[in-house]
Amino acid sequence: MRNMTTNELKRKSLVYRQKILQYIVKAKAGHTGGSLSSADILNVLYNDVLKVSPNSFSSPDRDRYIQSKGHCVEALYVVLADRGFFPEEELNTLCQYQSRFIGHPTRKVKGVEQNTGALGHGLPIAVGTAIAGKLDDKSYKVFTMLGDGELPEGSNWEAALCAAHYKLDNLCAIVDKNSLQITGPTAEVMSTDPLGRKWEAFGWVVKEIDGNDIDALQRAFNSLPFENGKPSLIIAHTVKGKGVSYMENELKWHHGVPNADQYRQAINELNQQIAELEA
Ligand SMILES: Cc1ncc(C[n+]2csc(CCOP(=O)(O)OP(=O)(O)O)c2C)c(N)n1
């Protein structure tokens, strides 16, 4: 946790978006759209919510964040580098032969709690970690972020049942609901709506917010747990490709890599948004 103003956080999200693109271009690979949609969630978590730092990362009392939508690792790496878990220049090796910065989260990178990327694993691990916290009488909180296209994995729903059964009010799951997945709109590939009512039926307390709104994210995280004795779910409505006009809501940017002209335009657009924020 750092005491940053909301405006500082908003600026940080824009810089994070630039860095996500920078390292995806350098690697010539990456999950662009879903990293951009989730940048604000990760920003608020790591700069305003999570009690974890490079120094406390080995402490049993640290808060845990497990990234279930592991393919969007570029966003996580950029935020972890900014928080000092490793030197940012190491991200220049992203996806290169023998680099530990592979295209999905790996515990070889300091700050990463769990190896993920096969969808449907993060929530079950988060549930186990939250149960362990209760058994050990620890006060840490457990957070996990899922994609809406990830939710059809059955393991999520077993974990959802389990979290309510064990009254895991130390657990918060965030669905980055950008409404697109890899092959099409989530509603067409495998509809998950009405999403909130499904989770409520499983015993969770649900809040729906604009997941690209820093204030809304801060308010939601500040009110955890939403109810004592129940796990909390934030449905974060986001825009895939957020911040770059030609990427927003465009399926092909799920894992598209911008060419030189596209990259220049994206950085310019984000610079423009930074200038507007500072005006
Ligand atoms: C078990 C498993 N099946 C399939 C995939 C391939 N895959 C990678 S990303 C993706 C779509 C995920 O969509 P969503 O969770 O909505 O991610 P976002 O749109 O936020 O990037 C799929 C099916 C995978 N990584 N793991």
Side-chain angles (χ1 to χ4, degrees), residues 31-35 37-38 68-72 104 117-121 146-153 176-184 186 189 238 240 254-255:
H31 286 86
T32 317
S35 287
S37 69
S38 62
S68 198
K69 47 172 259 176
H71 56 286
C72 296
H104 289 84
L119 299 170
H121 288 193
L146 305 103
D148 58 303
E150 176 182 3
L151 290 178
E153 298 290 347
D176 177 17
K177 194 175 193 305
N178 59 36
S179 299
L180 288 175
Q181 60 129 307
I182 191 169
T183 50
T186 304
V189 179
T238 61
K240 200 155 177 173
H254 175 79
H255 45 21

Side-chain angles (χ1 to χ4, degrees), residues 148-218:
D148 58 303
E150 176 182 3
L151 290 178
E153 298 290 347
S155 49
N156 290 319
W157 301 99
E158 295 177 28
L161 279 177
C162 187
H165 179 83
Y166 287 103
K167 305 185 191 324
L168 299 181
D169 53 10
N170 54 350
L171 174 67
C172 173
I174 307 119
V175 176
D176 177 17
K177 194 175 193 305
N178 59 36
S179 299
L180 288 175
Q181 60 129 307
I182 191 169
T183 50
T186 304
E188 288 172 21
V189 179
M190 181 66 75
S191 175
T192 57
D193 289 328
L195 193 54
R197 278 169 40 205
K198 287 191 172 74
W199 286 84
E200 278 165 3
F202 274 68
W204 291 57
V205 187
V206 178
K207 279 196 182 175
E208 300 212 29
I209 62 166
D210 177 346
N212 293 127
D213 179 338
I214 298 285
D215 300 275
L217 284 161
Q218 287 184 298

Side-chain angles (χ1 to χ4, degrees), residues 1 44-46 48-52 63-65 141 143:
M1 281 217 296
V44 174
L45 274 173
Y46 274 93
D48 198 43
V49 178
L50 291 174
K51 290 186 188 136
V52 66
D63 284 345
R64 272 72 161 176
Y65 169 71
K141 291 187 180 137
F143 298 82

